[in-house]
Amino acid sequence: MRQPTSLSEQTHLSGTTVRRVRGASFLRAIGDARLITPLRSPGGHRRYSRYQLRIAARARELVDQGTPIEAACRIIILEDQLEEAQRINAEHRRAAKSANPTAAA
């Protein structure tokens, strides 16, 4: 999974805040499936980043549509890998174009 890049994506929220939004048992289930790994507070409480909550929301959307949780986690991982591959390909295209500006696109 890609790493959060902005400060707002890296901000971690307490489990109490998150449970109101997503449901603690669902967050634990996607954590058990290793889709997200929350940080732990000194007291042992789970803390989720905004990026992890967006992933959890996507998983919840798929599960609510009837997709088994394991399949939803795999779909999200594949979507993330595809997005990263597309980003890398775009970077390579830009680099190739700037290295050889006369080549046809």
Side-chain angles (χ1 to χ4, degrees):
M1 304 285 311
R2 84 170 178 86
Q3 295 299 311
T5 54
S6 71
L7 183 59
S8 64
E9 287 183 328
Q10 295 173 17
T11 303
H12 288 78
L13 304 172
S14 71
T16 304
T17 302
V18 171
R19 277 192 294 279
R20 289 187 212 126
V21 177
R22 305 281 184 260
S25 62
F26 182 75
L27 287 168
R28 277 194 295 277
I30 62 174
D32 291 345
R34 304 232 189 270
L35 182 61
I36 60 174
T37 304
L39 294 179
R40 295 286 184 151
S41 71
H45 299 284
R46 292 173 182 87
R47 305 219 12 119
Y48 299 90
S49 70
R50 294 178 194 283
Y51 174 72
Q52 289 172 324
L53 293 178
R54 281 200 310 275
I55 297 230
R58 175 68 177 131
R60 172 60 81 180
E61 179 183 305
L62 290 169
V63 169
D64 287 350
Q65 293 172 3
T67 306
I69 195 161
E70 297 82 11
C73 291
R74 184 69 181 135
I75 288 167
I76 292 166
I77 289 167
L78 291 170
E79 288 174 342
D80 194 61
Q81 289 172 346
L82 175 60
E83 181 183 327
E84 179 69 6
Q86 289 172 332
R87 185 191 61 74
I88 290 168
N89 285 342
E91 286 177 9
H92 286 300
R93 283 190 201 103
R94 281 191 297 275
K97 188 176 181 179
S98 65
N100 190 3
T102 59

